[in-house]
Amino acid sequence: MRKIKSIFSLFLFVLGVQFSIFAQNTSLKPVSYTVVTKKRQTYTVQQYAHVFSESKHNIVGFAPELKGLKAVRLPLGSYKNGSHDALKLNFSHPSKLLIGVFKDTSADYLQPNQLGNAQLVIQNGVTVTGLPAVDVYALDFKKGIQTILPNQKGLFMVLGALNNANSLVQTDAKMLDGREWKFPYIIEDFSDEKPLFKVIGGQDAPVIDEGMSGTEGIQGGFEGGRVVKIKDTYHMFPTERAGEKGVDYYYDRVKTKIGHWTSKDAIHWKRESTIYQASGVYAITEDDNPMNDRRAAIWSYMPVFNEKTNKWYGYYLAYTVHKEIEPNHSFGRIWRCESTVEGIDGIGGPYKDMGIIMEPGLDSQPWEGRQGVASFFPYQVGDKFFGFYSGAYPFESWADYPKKSGKGWFVALAESKSLEGPWSRLNKGLEPIKTIHPQFVENPIVSQLPNGLYIAIFDGGPEGWGHHLPNMIGYTLSKDGVNWSEARYIPIETKVKKWWDIMRTPLCLIPEGNDEYTIVYNAIDLKRRFHPTGMVKVKLDREVMEQRLKDLK
């Protein structure tokens, strides 16, 4: 019994030490310092912080005790090749400088043995997109101007300075290796360049949520669609993940509806009608077979006004749904419909189907995958029309059809002489557009900025479900509507409360005057079955807009 008590006492002592260690390393006292070396900027350690100049690498995870420390942004290229000027800092007090060392033995990175008498403080302390995991060391410096690691080659991070009196102990923050984020990306207001859009506010909670009027019978919330504004009224056509009560939540993605909602302020919404209702019937074969119900799930309704015919057209996606083969949504077909009511006020329909404009067939390419054609959005450039169409879960070759699919969400362009069609894959769809993002672009919606630049706003891909993607609303620019720029991503949680875990699809970029725009979006709280709808406001910087126009080739 005495031995058990001793072991228990030892356990409590060790546990107490662990809590003490945690308290010590989360109560760090930073000290002030200035950067003496010219052209070296500082930044605050926080989510999305841009850590190196001349690069796209950003922080996406860090030990909590590092939050808010003043770090130094080093030039990536010159530190990798050893051609950089020596970094000089002026410390106000004797200090411990926190150095981030990448866990990679190649010559591109500073190695721990180059630090001299340094103390390892936090293992796996920072995750930086596209770069190895980071261990954090503390290096002692005296008060005054000091040269940091002179004549040392290799990339490292300067993460802040602490009071030399801080007693530090080693911990493991268990942050992920940043190379799991395979494609670093540009985040507005965090990179070297000025942002095109500044987030200026919005709602700190969903504008449509479970239990609100109009959501009766919608088990799983919303995903995708479009919002347009006519006079003083917003019209939204979301995919309603209706499902059925008492049926597993996955069925929310199968038995869907296209709803019509209206609002005067993009905050308070009223459900007006159902435009389309999917059958919810699962496929009976694994291939693209007419025996299957090809309208089992309906998604991604895009209303577009045709001035020539004075009618609203709708473009939407209908899937075959297999119960077991991933992706369950398969062999998408794009339908076009027309409002039976003429004029701009006929947006509410009713609508009649005019037929399929794009589908799997002889012109399809393996990259379109099992899910393609997976969305469609038409827009006009001069006297021609183009349309973004998408594919997902690509086949490496047609030998993989119909079950062996890979991962990737891609877009390409179709072209036509009219909104009615016929539509053909541009350049026969041989390759998707990878200038925007090499792995994930979903549901782009195109409009024009005041200087004529085309802009497509889109779903930038989840941080979740095994994916390490931007998890933000993205946009891309084009001078001619055909060649599209690398994406930028908008971190709206910098100005509104983040109520979501996974950011999904933006439904609009609506100009409101004074260079302000409204974005309505769908997002996911993983603790809940219902996927709500949110709203945010952004402001356009015209000076940046003009510079982007000049930069585009």
Side-chain angles (χ1 to χ4, degrees):
M1 187 70 175
R2 183 177 299 171
K3 184 176 182 180
I4 292 173
K5 286 184 177 179
S6 298
I7 293 172
F8 184 69
S9 298
L10 178 60
F11 170 76
L12 289 177
F13 172 76
V14 172
L15 186 63
V17 168
Q18 287 178 331
F19 277 118
S20 174
I21 289 172
F22 181 79
Q24 283 176 306
N25 275 357
T26 54
S27 302
L28 303 177
K29 296 179 180 178
V31 297
S32 62
Y33 67 90
T34 56
V35 180
V36 178
T37 309
K38 292 181 179 180
K39 297 183 180 179
R40 296 287 184 273
Q41 297 177 330
T42 61
Y43 66 93
T44 301
V45 177
Q46 60 182 312
Q47 189 74 351
Y48 305 138
H50 178 71
V51 295
F52 299 109
S53 56
E54 309 165 4
S55 84
K56 295 179 282 190
H57 302 291
N58 291 272
I59 291 175
V60 289
F62 56 91
E65 54 264 50
L66 300 175
K67 185 175 183 179
L69 294 180
K70 184 172 81 169
V72 181
R73 184 173 292 134
L74 303 177
L76 181 132
S78 60
Y79 267 82
K80 274 192 171 184
N81 61 32
S83 64
H84 58 86
D85 295 331
L87 175 64
K88 293 185 179 182
L89 304 180
N90 189 358
F91 296 100
S92 60
H93 296 83
S95 304
K96 293 180 183 293
L97 188 66
L98 297 181
I99 302 292
V101 176
F102 293 97
K103 299 173 76 169
D104 189 296
T105 58
S106 75
D108 286 340
Y109 301 99
L110 186 82
Q111 301 302 310
N113 61 12
Q114 295 174 256
L115 292 175
N117 189 25
Q119 176 188 0
L120 176 59
V121 180
I122 310 172
Q123 291 179 278
N124 306 301
V126 186
T127 299
V128 180
T129 56
L131 294 176
V134 178
D135 286 339
V136 181
Y137 290 79
L139 201 56
D140 288 333
F141 286 94
K142 296 179 180 179
K143 178 181 177 180
I145 297 176
Q146 305 292 334
T147 303
I148 311 304
L149 301 174
N151 306 316
Q152 297 292 358
K153 180 182 176 182
L155 193 66
F156 62 92
M157 300 174 71
V158 176
L159 289 164
L162 306 176
N163 191 308
N164 211 18
N166 273 117
S167 179
L168 303 177
V169 291
Q170 186 175 322
T171 61
D172 189 344
K174 295 181 168 41
M175 293 292 114
L176 296 176
D177 189 309
R179 288 170 292 195
E180 293 191 28
W181 283 256
K182 294 180 181 178
F183 307 106
Y185 40 87
I186 302 168
I187 302 175
E188 292 277 84
D189 212 19
F190 284 92
S191 68
D192 291 343
E193 62 186 26
K194 289 181 65 178
L196 180 63
F197 292 106
K198 277 272 194 182
V199 182
I200 57 174
Q203 298 303 110
D204 290 331
V207 295
I208 307 180
D209 206 348
E210 188 174 14
M212 291 182 178
S213 177
T215 63
E216 301 85 1
I218 303 174
Q219 318 306 315
F222 304 89
E223 169 54 18
R226 190 186 187 196
V227 177
V228 297
K229 190 177 184 183
I230 302 172
K231 300 172 185 175
D232 64 347
T233 302
Y234 299 87
H235 294 262
M236 177 168 62
F237 296 83
T239 302
E240 300 172 348
R241 298 159 36 91
E244 284 187 8
K245 289 185 178 179
V247 180
D248 185 77
Y249 72 90
Y250 180 78
Y251 196 54
D252 301 347
R253 304 178 66 243
V254 182
K255 195 168 186 179
T256 57
K257 297 179 183 179
I258 302 300
H260 175 210
W261 297 66
T262 60
S263 174
K264 295 294 186 183
D265 56 9
I267 299 171
H268 304 91
W269 291 89
K270 177 186 177 184
R271 193 178 192 278
E272 301 288 350
S273 65
T274 298
I275 302 297
Y276 283 103
Q277 167 74 65
S279 71
V281 176
Y282 285 105
I284 58 176
T285 73
E286 63 188 27
D287 60 342
D288 186 15
N289 193 312
M291 294 174 63
N292 300 322
D293 189 329
R294 289 173 166 173
R295 293 172 66 91
I298 293 177
W299 289 76
S300 191
Y301 187 90
M302 299 292 176
V304 176
F305 188 67
N306 187 339
E307 294 184 359
K308 185 176 180 180
T309 61
N310 195 34
K311 283 185 179 181
W312 281 97
Y313 288 4
Y315 299 82
Y316 66 93
L317 167 63
Y319 282 124
T320 300
V321 182
H322 197 282
K323 201 167 187 177
E324 297 173 357
I325 300 172
E326 186 179 350
N328 307 85
H329 290 157
S330 305
F331 315 124
R333 287 172 161 80
I334 306 300
W335 287 75
R336 185 179 73 83
C337 60
E338 291 183 5
S339 175
T340 59
V341 179
E342 291 190 358
I344 198 75
D345 294 324
I347 189 168
Y351 286 82
K352 62 178 180 180
D353 281 324
M354 304 304 292
I356 295 169
I357 64 163
M358 287 195 76
E359 63 181 327
L362 294 177
D363 289 338
S364 297
Q365 298 297 324
W367 68 263
E368 294 177 34
R370 184 176 173 91
Q371 200 168 64
V373 179
S375 71
F376 186 81
F377 187 88
Y379 58 96
Q380 188 169 3
V381 178
D383 59 356
K384 295 187 68 173
F385 291 87
F386 295 97
F388 271 115
Y389 72 96
S390 67
Y393 294 86
F395 301 119
E396 189 170 321
S397 71
W398 286 124
D400 293 334
Y401 175 89
K403 293 193 294 185
K404 189 180 177 183
S405 59
K407 294 294 175 67
W409 292 258
F410 307 112
V411 295
L413 290 177
E415 61 180 338
S416 174
K417 293 181 180 179
S418 70
L419 283 170
E420 293 82 6
W423 291 88
S424 59
R425 290 162 171 82
L426 190 64
N427 299 325
K428 297 186 179 180
L430 294 177
E431 293 291 336
I433 300 169
K434 291 192 175 181
T435 55
I436 302 171
H437 187 279
Q439 187 181 33
F440 198 104
V441 179
E442 195 167 64
N443 295 315
I445 294 175
V446 180
S447 56
Q448 282 186 280
L449 296 177
N451 66 347
L453 268 178
Y454 294 90
I455 181 168
I457 190 167
F458 64 92
D459 175 353
E463 168 52 41
W465 306 317
H467 303 294
H468 295 296
L469 292 161
N471 206 36
M472 285 174 276
I473 293 167
Y475 75 87
T476 175
L477 300 172
S478 175
K479 204 176 209 176
D480 58 9
V482 176
N483 300 286
W484 292 88
S485 70
E486 181 178 1
R488 270 78 170 170
Y489 297 89
I490 305 174
I492 67 176
E493 59 264 47
T494 58
K495 291 293 183 181
V496 300
K497 183 179 179 181
K498 186 180 179 183
W499 51 263
W500 64 90
D501 296 301
I502 296 177
M503 175 59 65
R504 290 313 315 265
T505 308
L507 279 65
C508 59
L509 182 68
I510 296 176
E512 307 286 13
N514 195 31
D515 292 328
E516 294 182 6
Y517 290 77
T518 296
I519 300 174
V520 177
Y521 61 92
N522 301 132
I524 299 173
D525 177 349
L526 289 173
K527 299 183 291 298
R528 305 167 56 201
R529 176 174 178 173
F530 194 96
H531 298 177
T533 296
M535 186 273 281
V536 69
K537 298 280 190 180
V538 298
K539 190 174 180 68
L540 174 73
D541 187 319
R542 288 196 172 233
E543 181 181 332
V544 175
M545 176 183 68
E546 294 301 336
Q547 185 59 51
R548 296 282 179 87
L549 179 61
K550 293 177 183 177
D551 292 342
L552 288 174
K553 295 180 181 179

